[in-house]
Amino acid sequence: MLQHVFLASLSFLLVCSYPYTMIVTYGKPSNYTGYNRVLNVLSWEKCVMHCYNLPFCLFAYSPSSTPLECYSFYAKHMLFEVEKTTSANNLLVAFKVVDDKGYCPVGDNAPTFGGAPNYGSVSLGKSNTSYVITPEPGPSWKIRYNATLACQYDWGMFTRPTTKWCIRVFGNAWSESYTQEAALAFCKTQNATLTGLDSIEERDFVAKVALIRITSYNRFAGFWVSGIRKPECYFDGWENIPYCTGANPQQFNHTDNYLTSYSGYTWDPSQPDRSGNCVQMWIRDPALNPDHDYPHGNSDDYDCSTLNRGFACGKLPELTFN
Ligand SMILES: *[C@@H]1O[C@H](CO)[C@@H](O)[C@H](O)[C@H]1NC(C)=O
Ligand SMILES: *[C@@H]1O[C@H](CO)[C@@H](O)[C@H](O)[C@H]1NC(C)=O
Ligand SMILES: *[C@@H]1O[C@H](CO)[C@@H](O)[C@H](O)[C@H]1NC(C)=O
Ligand SMILES: *[C@@H]1O[C@H](CO)[C@@H](O)[C@H](O)[C@H]1NC(C)=O
Ligand SMILES: *[C@@H]1O[C@H](CO)[C@@H](O)[C@H](O)[C@H]1NC(C)=O
């Protein structure tokens, strides 16, 4: 009951102003490609306002009011479905919509949304996407966009737990051209970074495409991926830091900020062996190296200044308009 009053006053005080309204109610995001955790937000009110004030944010969520957690869903995260709940579940949601009706639906199951579809528009860099939230009799609200997330031509798309992710492999058979730093710089020209290997699926994609890129080179080659050993893990005294030892994945920093798991990093036997501080993937044609013991696509820590034949970049997908 208290929650009800709180929501009503919140709506009245803060978010019922042109051009946007936040429709505040109870629910739970149930289909989305990603989200952002907003740290140090101490009240649900501030969480809602955080989203309200960001041109690219369309939805705020907290799984409870105490302790509060604040999650923002941005246009690039494509939220598709929000399950309806009641105050008993204490799951708070706020939808940003264009306020052309002059009222603020609020409270339990508020988004009957006045019985009509509500529209929103959020910015994504140079473009905007519009979306529509329709009042549905079912257990959830659906959000439809005039845009979809897509990877550019030649980039593979992968589903990570918190986002979609695009990966492209660069390199060639003819020359050893790239230090780890040069590979990273090249990825930046693609608005990307060296990709991490979040899953076996991502590892296998990089391994397969890299093999095609070096077809006429009949030996094995290294391709850079995300991973550089943390300074404290090679400075004196590293042996005393538990995460710096053995094959502990925490010994590496990643430029791939969307990496959620290290399960695509399958190390060669006895690796990482500290023979270098950067991570590469071994590309070994199983047909050309039938006697080679180690699998194609395994990881190894290698000298960062080694000139490798290639690397794999990763980045978020982009909105493309329908
Ligand atoms: C999530 O929503 C998208 C877009 O409507 C749909 O294509 C996809 O099948 C949905 N996924 C699940 C698990 O319901
Ligand atoms: C995107 O929407 C904002 C707010 O409605 C508007 O000011 C801006 O001009 C729009 N940008 C584009 C590219 O349509
Ligand atoms: C998508 O919607 C936005 C916002 O209404 C609009 O600016 C944009 O032109 C639309 N794009 C297409 C391709 O319809
Ligand atoms: C990188 O982003 C910039 C700015 O948005 C854009 O102009 C450029 O075309 C992008 N480059 C690639 C390779 O996508
Ligand atoms: C790597 O991680 C350490 C903390 O473990 C941090 O101090 C350092 O700045 C990071 N380096 C890079 C290049 O991100």
Side-chain angles (χ1 to χ4, degrees):
M1 211 49 217
L2 192 60
Q3 193 60 48
H4 238 97
V5 172
F6 168 68
L7 289 171
S9 66
L10 165 69
S11 164
F12 177 73
L13 287 174
L14 292 172
V15 289
C16 198
S17 60
Y18 184 81
Y20 294 117
T21 289
M22 300 298 286
I23 297 179
V24 179
T25 184
Y26 302 100
K28 185 181 186 218
S30 50
N31 180 351
Y32 49 85
T33 67
Y35 56 80
N36 270 52
R37 174 103 192 253
V38 189
L39 297 175
N40 302 319
V41 174
L42 300 178
S43 69
W44 172 236
E45 204 170 74
K46 292 225 162 60
C47 183
V48 173
M49 286 313 288
H50 174 84
C51 182
Y52 179 75
N53 288 323
L54 287 177
F56 44 85
C57 184
L58 56 91
F59 181 80
Y61 170 62
S62 175
S64 75
S65 50
T66 47
L68 183 96
E69 289 172 58
C70 179
Y71 296 95
S72 288
F73 289 72
Y74 302 154
K76 68 180 182 188
H77 293 146
M78 300 213 95
L79 172 66
F80 294 116
E81 198 167 337
V82 178
E83 190 187 316
K84 300 173 186 175
T85 64
T86 64
S87 57
N89 302 93
N90 205 18
L91 305 162
L92 305 165
V93 297
F95 296 84
K96 187 193 280 178
V97 299
V98 174
D99 177 28
D100 57 358
K101 299 193 186 67
Y103 61 80
C104 292
V106 72
D108 263 22
N109 202 20
T112 55
F113 291 97
N118 273 254
Y119 296 90
S121 175
V122 279
S123 110
L124 197 99
K126 279 187 247 139
S127 51
N128 286 352
T129 180
S130 62
Y131 52 92
V132 53
I133 308 161
T134 47
E136 308 206 21
S140 60
W141 297 292
K142 304 249 167 53
I143 302 166
R144 297 190 184 83
Y145 301 79
N146 73 347
T148 48
L149 278 180
C151 294
Q152 288 169 312
Y153 182 72
D154 254 3
W155 294 70
M157 193 192 264
F158 297 87
T159 301
R160 291 182 171 184
T162 62
T163 188
K164 298 274 183 191
W165 187 247
C166 309
I167 298 179
R168 184 171 173 184
V169 180
F170 295 87
N172 64 74
W174 317 288
S175 66
E176 296 169 309
S177 311
Y178 306 100
T179 61
Q180 201 262 10
E181 200 182 359
L184 184 57
F186 188 97
C187 288
K188 284 185 183 155
T189 69
Q190 304 300 305
N191 299 328
T193 189
L194 282 172
T195 188
L197 305 170
D198 206 65
S199 61
I200 295 293
E201 194 192 1
E202 291 188 6
R203 179 200 69 176
D204 288 352
F205 173 81
V206 174
K208 183 176 151 196
V209 179
L211 192 57
I212 295 166
R213 293 211 157 264
I214 60 162
T215 299
S216 56
Y217 172 71
N218 65 4
R219 295 188 51 231
F220 46 88
F223 273 59
W224 297 116
V225 292
S226 179
I228 182 160
R229 188 168 276 110
K230 291 174 181 169
E232 70 270 27
C233 291
Y234 55 80
F235 287 158
D236 281 356
W238 66 266
E239 295 94 332
N240 302 323
I241 305 175
Y243 63 76
C244 292
T245 60
N248 203 317
Q250 270 82 39
Q251 70 192 282
F252 298 104
N253 269 353
H254 290 276
T255 54
D256 177 346
N257 291 325
Y258 294 86
L259 192 62
T260 65
S261 126
Y262 307 103
S263 53
Y265 292 90
T266 50
W267 297 96
D268 262 354
S270 310
Q271 299 294 342
D273 68 353
R274 314 184 60 84
S275 56
N277 290 325
C278 288
V279 180
Q280 67 167 33
M281 178 189 284
W282 279 116
I283 307 305
R284 312 170 164 118
D285 189 336
L288 291 173
N289 301 283
D291 300 330
H292 209 288
D293 295 340
Y294 303 158
H296 175 48
N298 268 3
S299 299
D300 192 354
D301 57 337
Y302 228 65
D303 188 329
C304 303
S305 61
T306 305
L307 291 166
N308 269 345
R309 284 193 154 70
F311 51 90
C313 304
K315 64 177 170 183
L316 291 172
E318 286 164 17
L319 277 183
T320 50
F321 291 100
N322 303 331

